[in-house]
Amino acid sequence: MKKPTIKTVTRPPGRAKNHDEGGNLYRLLIDRVQDYAIFALDEDGYILTWNAGAERLKGYKPGEIIGRHFSVFYPPEDVAADKPAHELELAIATGSAEDDGWRVRKDGTRFWANVLITALRDDTGKLRGFAKVTRDLTERRAALEDALDSARRVAAEEVGRVAAESQARELWELAQRLGDQAAELERRSVEADDANRAKSEFLAAMSHELRTPLNAIGGYAQLMEMGIAGPVSDQQRVHLERIQRSQQHLLGIINDILNFSRIEAGHLAYNIGPVVLQEVLEVGAAMIVPQAGEKRIRVKMAQCPPDLIASADRAKVEQILLNLLSNAVKFTPDDGEIELTFGAQSDHVSLAVRDTGIGIPVKQLELIFAPFMQVGRSLASPKEGAGLGLAISRDLARGMRGELTVESREGSGSTFTLTLPRVPARSPKA
Ligand code: ADP
């Protein structure tokens, strides 16, 4: 019985029953293989043979491709890099060259290929050409990339999930901390409010208690001065005047403290109405002229249009103005000058007191509005006043929706400006 042909093909080449039969089968096998492009190149890389697999893979018929150089299968960038030649050189040097990479079909489309080039030598070792086997791995590569893509996606999703979880945890912790801090702030603010209220109430009660005996001191000193309790010598009269001056001074300080503590405690009522600026300026100037005269300080006053009207509590505006003017006299050397001016904008008006006095250092400009602050003087040795006048004045200004500000140059004078909401001028009736 004849043995199946296949056995003949698998026999070791040297042991073929018949050499020709083996050679034919071998060619047949190569020609028919569909899944691999198998072809031969001459020593310079020109195509010598072409099998069915090569036609299927690359799209060329044998007549179109045999005789052409195998670099036609490479993309232009590989040709530019001389890759085909390098692969032949590698095959010559090492026997074979293997490469995975993009190759180009006849129609210009690309496919991902595994290429094995083997150098073919005769018995004497002379190079006769090359065998080239190409496989299309496009699908395998696509599958691999898909798998990689999904792995990356899963990893990214996982990273995102972990990051989101940790972010959520951090946010939660932050919210907790903020909540704690808010609670702590609330607690401290309540404590501070309580302490402030207690302080203001204490100051109010104390000032009130001090005023009664102080008024008595003043009253009795006056009675004595009038000679009601018997004749008074000139020397005694001088002493009685000093007692009265000190009593007045102390009363002023205590009134300031009482005033301030009332504002602080929010017990002050504002009687808001129209206040004609010119009238307040005149009252202020008249009040300060005697004090200023003692130091030969000139008092100038601008004439203000009668329709400039502030919306304010007139008594409090006068109180602020008096404070600013007495400070101006207090801090201006003899023969200086004080000027009262005004200003107007569409929605507010202002009154300013300018002096040619000692001025205020830049660093202290805001501090002087703090309670008990006096430039260049310690709390232990206050001279004239308690350092509350400006604190009270600014609080009063703000209480009327206005503001009190200062501009000053040390050594050349200061300007304090009180700003108040403006009552719009009435348009004349047609
Ligand atoms: P007091 O006048 O009772 O000291 P104030 O609050 O009115 O308190 O003023 C605080 C401080 O601001 C003053 O002690 C003084 O140092 C400074 N000051 C106020 N007005 C003037 C001014 N016109 N020129 C220079 N310094 C001033």
Side-chain angles (χ1 to χ4, degrees):
M1 201 179 87
K2 208 176 172 221
K3 285 181 184 160
T5 321
I6 192 83
K7 284 233 169 136
T8 316
V9 178
T10 55
R11 256 173 219 257
R15 299 185 53 199
K17 270 206 277 176
N18 171 321
H19 215 75
D20 267 357
E21 188 189 347
N24 285 338
L25 273 171
Y26 194 59
R27 201 170 311 116
L28 209 59
L29 170 91
I30 288 175
D31 281 349
R32 297 286 159 84
V33 163
Q34 293 276 336
D35 292 332
Y36 292 81
I38 302 173
F39 50 98
L41 308 176
D42 69 9
E43 312 89 295
D44 298 320
Y46 288 93
I47 297 157
L48 295 172
T49 67
W50 197 242
N51 79 336
E55 187 176 332
R56 199 178 69 86
L57 216 67
K58 300 186 190 262
Y60 295 97
K61 299 222 175 291
E64 293 169 324
I65 195 72
I66 288 176
R68 289 180 67 182
H69 195 262
F70 85 114
S71 59
V72 69
F73 306 131
Y74 287 76
E77 61 273 15
D78 284 353
V79 175
D82 226 8
K83 192 169 169 182
H86 290 320
E87 288 191 348
L88 291 190
E89 281 163 18
L90 186 65
I92 293 169
T94 64
S96 65
E98 186 167 6
D99 174 48
D100 282 355
W102 292 110
R103 294 294 184 273
V104 184
R105 297 193 185 91
K106 182 185 164 191
D107 63 6
T109 56
R110 293 184 179 205
F111 64 100
W112 185 259
N114 169 267
V115 178
L116 179 68
I117 301 177
T118 309
L120 300 175
R121 295 179 186 280
D122 62 17
D123 293 345
T124 66
K126 186 173 182 303
L127 180 75
R128 303 303 299 267
F130 302 90
K132 193 167 179 239
V133 180
T134 304
R135 269 188 302 161
D136 182 354
L137 298 184
T138 309
E139 275 174 21
R140 205 189 287 182
R141 182 185 157 92
L144 199 68
E145 277 186 350
D146 278 355
L148 267 175
D149 274 355
S150 359
R152 273 193 215 108
R153 224 178 9 255
V154 170
E157 279 168 12
E158 185 60 13
V159 167
R161 196 182 56 74
V162 170
E165 265 177 16
S166 105
Q167 228 170 27
R169 198 168 42 248
E170 273 172 28
L171 278 176
W172 187 80
E173 281 168 9
L174 195 68
Q176 290 285 312
R177 274 207 301 281
L178 282 176
D180 291 352
Q181 274 171 4
E184 176 64 14
L185 278 177
E186 171 75 18
R187 196 181 59 73
R188 287 198 200 166
S189 139
V190 168
E191 266 178 22
D193 282 353
D194 288 352
N196 219 17
R197 203 170 310 112
K199 181 197 77 186
S200 297
E201 278 163 10
F202 166 75
L203 284 175
M206 194 197 67
S207 319
H208 196 72
E209 290 304 314
L210 286 175
R211 272 209 308 185
T212 317
L214 255 186
N215 282 329
I217 291 171
Y220 282 110
Q222 232 174 354
L223 287 180
M224 284 171 79
E225 202 189 358
M226 288 158 74
I228 289 172
V232 184
S233 73
D234 287 348
Q235 180 69 37
Q236 285 169 333
R237 197 173 299 282
V238 171
H239 289 172
L240 282 170
E241 270 170 19
R242 283 195 184 150
I243 291 175
Q244 276 177 284
R245 260 210 308 278
S246 295
Q247 181 266 348
Q248 282 298 317
H249 180 60
L250 210 50
L251 199 61
I253 293 178
I254 285 165
N255 281 339
D256 270 0
I257 295 177
L258 191 61
N259 229 324
F260 180 66
S261 55
R262 279 207 194 115
I263 301 176
E264 286 278 280
H267 293 326
L268 210 63
Y270 291 86
N271 187 12
I272 302 289
V275 177
V276 180
L277 283 203
Q278 179 61 21
E279 289 174 12
V280 191
L281 285 182
E282 278 166 10
V283 170
M287 279 194 295
I288 208 65
V289 162
Q291 264 175 270
E294 284 176 25
K295 294 174 80 180
R296 294 185 310 278
I297 293 173
R298 280 185 311 284
V299 178
K300 288 172 43 182
M301 192 189 84
Q303 281 302 317
C304 166
D307 64 342
L308 279 191
I309 301 173
S311 164
D313 179 328
R314 177 163 176 160
K316 293 189 174 64
V317 174
E318 286 179 3
Q319 184 182 341
I320 296 171
L321 206 56
L322 185 61
N323 176 242
L324 297 180
L325 287 163
S326 3
N327 276 348
V329 171
K330 212 172 1 173
F331 298 105
T332 300
D334 290 2
D335 299 310
E337 188 179 282
I338 294 174
E339 189 180 8
L340 278 156
T341 58
F342 65 90
Q345 307 264 289
S346 61
D347 57 350
H348 64 264
V349 289
S350 59
L351 292 169
V353 176
R354 185 186 61 79
D355 66 51
T356 55
I358 58 171
I360 301 153
V362 182
K363 276 201 208 148
Q364 310 266 1
L365 276 180
E366 269 308 301
L367 293 178
I368 57 169
F369 292 99
F372 307 110
M373 256 312 294
Q374 295 178 314
V375 175
R377 268 171 278 174
S378 69
L379 274 178
S381 59
K383 197 183 131 208
E384 304 201 50
L388 277 173
L390 288 178
I392 292 174
S393 297
R394 183 175 259 186
D395 280 355
L396 289 176
R398 290 181 178 172
M400 295 184 286
R401 292 194 297 118
E403 186 54 283
L404 180 62
T405 54
V406 64
E407 281 171 52
S408 182
R409 271 189 47 208
E410 214 176 346
S412 56
S414 317
T415 304
F416 285 83
T417 306
L418 168 67
T419 310
L420 293 165
R422 178 178 182 172
V423 175
R426 278 208 203 118
S427 52
K429 283 193 181 122

